[in-house]
């Protein structure tokens, strides 16, 4: 009779061991090669911009997504329809197309609307005229990613909130808790366990999609790689290291999120 292997042995992350060995080997090779060291030093200058764009866009998208999810579950039919319209329309537009639209159509429209609304204040000398060039391409890119991901994140929040048993909500109502108190004390603490895994996946996906801001000339990792490759014609070395940096960021973030999920699961079981 064959004895089945234990779960701990079967689930041992051998893939992670191989990936770690390869990552260390690449790091040693880069450190000992003058060419790869130069390429890495140039491309790595965009890491700060990539992290900034990702974190700010994710925080804003999460806030917007939560608001849209609550609108979609409100008692008002009009609010539900507005939320559903927003989600379906935004999810149907590719992120790259949305990025171009926000950068070259949305931003000028916003500037025109702002100047029209503040015209009396501008005439009184309280405000200066806002120009399109005053809205940086970095923030246009952040807003495009925020709008694009808010639609996906709203569905994550909606599914997580609706996973909470209605009986607990009814019990909270019977105790006299307000709608805000029910959400803060009963619904959200339980929903977060369901929300966290897909929300983490969206965060990792946003790290990768942040590379799209390079089409606007934002100096992220991808843009720095494009500039270096165009000037040196070292395409293989440049884009290999660009992919390496993104892998370090995304795999490291995925492992951290999995560790957080396991910790929350253990706390719930205790």
């Amino acid at each position: 009779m064959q004895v089945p292997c234990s779960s701990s042995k079967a689930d041992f992350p051998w893939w992670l061991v191989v990936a770690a060995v390869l990552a260390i080997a690449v790091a040693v090779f880069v450190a000992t090669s003058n060419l790869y060291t130069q390429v890495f030093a140039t491309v790595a200058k965009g890491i700060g911009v990539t992290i900034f764009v990702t974190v700010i866009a994710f925080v804003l998208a999460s806030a917007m997504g939560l608001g849209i999810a609550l609108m979609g579950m409100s008692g008002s039919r009009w609010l539900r329809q507005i939320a559903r319209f927003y989600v379906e329309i935004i999810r149907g537009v590719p992120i790259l197309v949305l990025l171009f639209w926000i950068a070259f159509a949305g931003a000028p429209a916003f500037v025109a609307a702002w100047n029209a609304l503040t015209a009396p204040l501008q005439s009184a000398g309280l405000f200066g005229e806002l120009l399109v060039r005053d809205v940086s391409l970095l923030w246009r890119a952040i807003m495009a990613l925020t709008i694009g991901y808010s639609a996906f994140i709203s569905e994550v929040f909606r599914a997580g909130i609706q996973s909470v048993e209605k009986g607990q909500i009814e019990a909270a109502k019977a105790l006299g808790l307000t709608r805000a108190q029910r959400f803060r004390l009963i619904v959200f603490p339980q929903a977060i366990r369901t929300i966290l895994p897909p929300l983490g996946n969206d965060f990792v996906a946003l790290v990768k999609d942040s590379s799209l801001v390079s089409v606007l000339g934002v100096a992220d990792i991808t843009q720095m790689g494009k500039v270096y490759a165009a000037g040196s014609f070292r395409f293989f070395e440049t884009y290999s290291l660009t992919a390496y940096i993104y892998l370090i960021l995304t795999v490291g973030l995925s492992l951290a999120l999995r560790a957080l999920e396991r910790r929350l699961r253990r706390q719930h079981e205790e």
Side-chain angles (χ1 to χ4, degrees):
M1 180 177 180
Q2 185 177 4
V3 179
C5 61
S6 64
S7 176
S8 60
K9 292 182 179 179
D11 294 336
F12 186 81
W14 290 108
W15 70 269
L16 182 58
V17 174
V18 175
V21 170
L22 290 175
I24 293 171
V26 172
V28 172
F29 179 75
V30 169
T32 56
S33 170
N34 291 332
L35 172 60
Y36 277 92
T37 299
Q38 183 180 4
V39 175
F40 182 83
T42 302
V43 176
K45 292 178 181 178
I47 293 177
V49 174
T50 293
I51 293 175
F52 178 79
V53 168
T54 302
V55 171
I56 298 300
F58 183 77
V59 171
L60 294 176
S62 297
M64 284 184 62
L66 178 58
I68 295 165
L70 294 177
M71 285 176 59
M73 295 182 293
S74 69
S76 171
R77 179 178 63 184
W78 291 108
L79 288 179
R80 292 198 303 270
Q81 291 298 320
I82 291 171
R84 179 48 51 188
F85 176 83
Y86 178 88
V87 170
E88 295 300 334
I89 295 300
I90 296 300
R91 288 198 306 176
V93 179
I95 296 294
L96 183 58
V97 175
L98 186 62
L99 192 70
F100 282 130
W101 192 91
I102 294 294
F104 302 116
F110 169 79
V111 169
W114 174 265
N115 288 331
L117 291 173
T118 60
L121 298 176
Q122 291 179 21
S123 300
L126 298 177
F127 281 106
E129 182 182 4
L130 183 65
L131 302 176
V132 175
R133 65 172 178 265
D134 294 332
V135 184
S136 70
L137 290 173
L138 174 65
W139 283 102
R140 298 186 206 187
I142 289 174
M143 289 311 303
L145 292 175
T146 297
I147 292 171
Y149 268 81
S150 64
F152 294 97
I153 291 176
S154 69
E155 291 296 278
V156 173
F157 278 117
R158 181 188 60 79
I161 292 170
Q162 290 180 340
S163 68
V164 178
E165 295 182 5
K166 293 184 178 180
Q168 299 188 37
I169 301 174
E170 295 299 326
K173 287 182 182 179
L175 292 173
L177 288 143
T178 64
R179 188 181 184 91
Q181 288 174 329
R182 293 196 299 269
F183 179 78
R184 181 169 57 87
L185 300 174
I186 304 298
V187 176
F188 194 73
Q190 298 183 67
I192 192 63
R193 290 192 294 270
T194 304
I195 291 170
L196 187 59
L199 194 63
N201 290 337
D202 282 339
F203 190 29
V204 174
L206 184 54
V207 173
K208 294 183 291 184
D209 280 347
S210 69
S211 62
L212 295 174
V213 305
S214 63
V215 301
L216 300 181
V218 177
D220 70 326
I221 295 171
T222 303
Q223 177 64 11
M224 298 304 295
K226 286 167 60 179
V227 171
Y228 185 87
S232 65
F233 297 98
R234 295 286 186 176
F235 295 101
F236 176 81
E237 295 86 349
T238 302
Y239 289 116
S240 295
L241 284 182
T242 300
Y244 174 76
I245 293 173
Y246 276 112
L247 281 171
I248 294 296
L249 291 175
T250 55
V251 174
L253 182 58
S254 297
L255 293 175
L257 290 170
R258 289 181 188 177
L260 179 59
E261 291 173 25
R262 288 194 296 269
R263 181 177 179 182
L264 291 176
R265 192 180 303 114
R266 286 196 299 267
Q267 290 178 350
H268 176 64
E269 292 173 352
E270 293 174 357

